[in-house]
Amino acid sequence: MTTSHDYGAESFTAPHIALFPNAGMGHLMPYLRLATTLLGRRCRVTLITPSPTLTAAESAVTASFLLSYPEVSHHELRLIPDDDNTTSGNPYFLRFGRIARSIYLIRPLLSSVSPPLSAVVSDLLAASQAGPILADLGLPLYILWTSSAKLTALVDNLSSDPSRFNSSLSQVDFPANLGIPPLPIESVPPPFFSPDHILTHMLVTNARALHLAKGILINTFEGLEHETLKALNHSRIENGMPPLLAIGPLELCRMEPPKTTTPAQAGDYKRWLDCQPADSVVYVCFGSKDPIEVAQIQELGKGLMMSGVRFLWAVKSRELSDKADGVRELLGDSIGEDIVGRGRGMVVSEWVDQDEILGSPAVGGFVSHCGWNSVAEAAAAGVPVLAWPQNGDQGVNAHVVEESGLGIFPKNWGIGNGHRNGPVKGEEIGEKIRDFMKNEGLRARARRIGEAAEVAVGVGGSSHATLTGVLREMARRPPDAVTVTVSRILRYSIPVSA
Ligand code: UDP
């Protein structure tokens, strides 16, 4: 690999880093990847997970990860009991609040970890609670931001004046000096329009506490969000805010399939995929949750059938029963004999190994809800994305997909179920998927983004250099035993201390 970067060698002591993720697979996965990346840089890693977990998948994946990486120390932070007896509302938001209220319990855990820690990496929503504790312990706090850099621009806007967000506006404008294009109002997460919403309240409180952090690590890279990173870092550093540190794409975790998938089921779709021609399969997955209503799921099924394209669909729905024919029941008559696994398509209701699927030569496109992990994984694999955001930050991330050239974003499909009269029809979906899979120009652009990802994390690449800077800063804390030699980037690295 050739790069224009100028680097030499420098020795420093590898830091010991505690990682404390928030609830949900979308939060857990990037922390496990960060752990893998840090192990690759010879760091010592302690993983602290909230207990109990919100979903069975989190426990299963954590267990599988720890089995595969026994060098990672693990502690559980026992959450305080739910004191509000709230059973209604978004379970994720409620759990974020419970974790924040339990963070004071982390102090004895952090001070007893041996060898002593060099730094703690945690979620934005922990900043205001964890920041003062860590300052007291003399431990630097880094945030791992689990979405796009572009979303940080929106959250900065929100935290400076939440009343500016109004659903009757047509767009959100960013400060002119940033040069970031305005965001159509439909792409703004709906909770942002209510300052009293639990998520908005937590985001604003914690974003205002970000000065307590040394830096914000992001699973993104120059080839995906160059303009946004450049603009935001310029203004953040001027305003004394911690910099955005693009260190992605984070490494894949090499682990056994979690116990939510039986080996037989895992084997089925992998065997099927192995038999398909290159770039012929569209992979469809809307993340770890269940964002799509049944009527839309059935139209999507019809669309996949009408597209004439081979497909692998990892379907998730709370309406999906455990029965042997649960998938058939959910899909109704939208998909016929093609589900059998010998035909043109395959529908899997279990947890799939998305990394492996995206890395398969057979996969030529990804219909995605644009959860940030999925976008970053598609970018790393160089697989084009047909963006179909459903909620939360996904609308913002879908713009990143489009602006970077990684994929297409049919905006007339709306975001989620709220913006249209009824579901997007199968005919329209089928036609779009057919055109998407035939788009060789798009495939070539996505491939180039995958190549840029590889360069970014290679020695001398932008993400590698940025992480080196972070590790060097962290290593100023009490030493761990291992001393490593790392590359020292003399130019193009982002300053770490604000
Ligand atoms: N994922 C997976 N198998 C599945 C569903 C999801 O491996 O069957 C992984 C996916 O690769 C990603 C994460 O779960 O790393 C989902 O995160 P994302 O941010 O894309 O979406 P969310 O689930 O948070 O909406």
Side-chain angles (χ1 to χ4, degrees):
M1 181 189 64
T2 56
T3 86
S4 59
H5 293 176
D6 180 11
Y7 58 92
E10 180 187 347
S11 283
F12 62 74
T13 303
H16 179 189
I17 304 164
L19 307 181
F20 178 50
N22 213 328
M25 285 303 293
H27 285 104
L28 178 63
M29 286 309 291
Y31 277 81
L32 300 184
R33 288 175 185 281
L34 177 60
T36 310
T37 305
L38 293 174
L39 291 175
R41 303 293 289 267
R42 308 279 301 279
C43 298
R44 191 182 281 262
V45 176
T46 291
L47 180 68
I48 304 174
T49 51
S51 170
T53 58
L54 186 59
T55 60
E58 286 162 77
S59 314
V61 167
T62 303
S64 166
F65 175 82
L66 293 170
L67 269 178
S68 307
Y69 295 92
E71 63 273 48
V72 172
S73 313
H74 180 228
H75 297 273
E76 287 185 339
L77 182 79
R78 301 289 312 171
L79 301 181
I80 56 169
D82 245 339
D83 56 359
D84 53 7
N85 290 324
T86 312
T87 48
S88 62
N90 182 312
Y92 287 87
F93 301 162
L94 294 173
R95 181 54 62 93
F96 297 159
R98 186 171 164 199
I99 291 174
R101 288 194 298 281
S102 306
I103 283 178
Y104 72 96
L105 296 169
I106 211 170
R107 177 193 278 267
L109 209 163
L110 294 179
S111 26
S112 65
V113 167
S114 176
L117 288 169
S118 318
V120 176
V121 179
S122 189
D123 188 63
L124 168 71
L125 297 184
S128 63
Q129 301 292 330
I133 297 173
L134 296 184
D136 218 31
L137 294 173
L139 278 172
L141 167 67
Y142 286 80
I143 301 299
L144 176 60
W145 179 252
T146 50
S147 186
S148 52
K150 197 178 184 75
L151 189 75
T152 66
L154 198 65
V155 171
D156 281 351
N157 248 12
L158 180 73
S159 64
S160 67
D161 182 6
S163 66
R164 231 188 305 163
F165 281 70
N166 186 330
S167 56
S168 62
L169 300 172
S170 64
Q171 62 185 36
V172 170
D173 293 307
F174 297 99
N177 63 333
L178 291 182
I180 297 180
L183 194 69
I185 209 74
E186 306 77 52
S187 299
V188 174
F192 287 16
F193 301 124
S194 323
D196 297 333
H197 189 283
I198 176 172
L199 180 67
T200 308
H201 181 73
M202 282 190 286
L203 276 173
V204 170
T205 308
N206 287 289
R208 287 177 179 168
L210 271 181
H211 58 277
L212 298 170
K214 294 279 281 180
I216 300 173
L217 309 174
I218 311 194
N219 186 16
T220 191
F221 58 100
E222 292 285 331
L224 190 60
E225 290 195 276
H226 173 72
E227 294 301 327
T228 310
L229 286 164
K230 196 169 87 183
L232 290 178
N233 267 329
H234 189 73
S235 88
R236 292 179 81 85
I237 290 166
E238 263 183 0
N239 296 326
M241 294 286 283
L244 303 181
L245 301 159
I247 57 166
L250 295 168
E251 265 182 44
L252 305 187
C253 309
R254 302 275 168 223
M255 55 188 181
E256 291 301 309
K259 291 282 177 272
T260 48
T261 310
T262 67
Q265 286 163 328
D268 274 355
Y269 77 80
K270 288 180 185 178
R271 268 194 298 279
W272 178 82
L273 208 48
D274 284 348
C275 299
Q276 308 308 314
D279 292 332
S280 68
V281 175
V282 64
Y283 166 58
V284 182
C285 182
F286 289 77
S288 58
K289 307 183 193 106
D290 53 356
I292 304 189
E293 286 174 2
V294 173
Q296 186 63 80
I297 287 181
Q298 294 182 346
E299 288 300 325
L300 174 54
K302 285 184 201 158
L304 287 168
M305 293 300 291
M306 288 172 176
S307 71
V309 171
R310 295 165 204 261
F311 62 88
L312 171 59
W313 182 9
V315 73
K316 309 255 180 308
S317 169
R318 83 197 77 152
E319 308 291 334
L320 192 63
S321 75
D322 289 341
K323 287 193 262 169
D325 63 348
V327 169
R328 192 172 290 277
E329 237 178 48
L330 176 74
L331 298 178
D333 56 6
S334 61
I335 289 191
E337 73 280 11
D338 275 20
I339 324 181
V340 294
R342 289 188 297 276
R344 178 167 66 78
M346 201 162 176
V347 184
V348 190
S349 60
E350 304 300 322
W351 188 257
V352 296
D353 186 339
Q354 179 160 302
D355 287 328
E356 201 174 357
I357 291 172
L358 289 172
S360 161
V363 172
F366 180 14
V367 176
S368 169
H369 72 317
C370 294
W372 186 249
N373 295 298
S374 293
V375 173
E377 288 157 16
V383 173
V385 171
L386 195 169
W388 194 356
Q390 299 296 315
N391 56 44
D393 59 349
Q394 297 154 18
V396 178
N397 301 341
H399 284 280
V400 178
V401 165
E402 186 179 60
E403 287 158 13
S404 65
L406 180 64
I408 56 167
F409 176 15
K411 296 180 197 63
N412 62 325
W413 288 6
I415 294 183
N417 306 307
H419 299 272
R420 287 176 60 109
N421 297 323
V424 184
K425 292 290 180 209
E427 291 81 355
E428 197 176 337
I429 298 171
E431 204 174 308
K432 188 66 80 184
I433 290 179
R434 194 164 49 246
D435 292 348
F436 167 65
M437 289 298 283
K438 275 201 230 143
N439 191 336
E440 288 302 330
L442 180 65
R443 188 159 298 134
R445 279 199 297 281
R447 236 171 231 148
R448 282 198 293 278
I449 291 178
E451 286 158 12
E454 211 177 317
V455 170
V457 293
V459 175
S462 55
S463 295
H464 188 275
T466 301
L467 183 57
T468 301
V470 172
L471 298 181
R472 191 189 300 131
E473 278 286 311
M474 289 177 171
R476 293 190 182 156
R477 287 276 312 157
D480 190 352
V482 197
T483 298
V484 292
T485 300
V486 296
S487 303
R488 177 163 52 110
I489 303 305
L490 302 178
R491 290 192 284 133
Y492 299 130
S493 57
I494 298 169
V496 173
S497 37

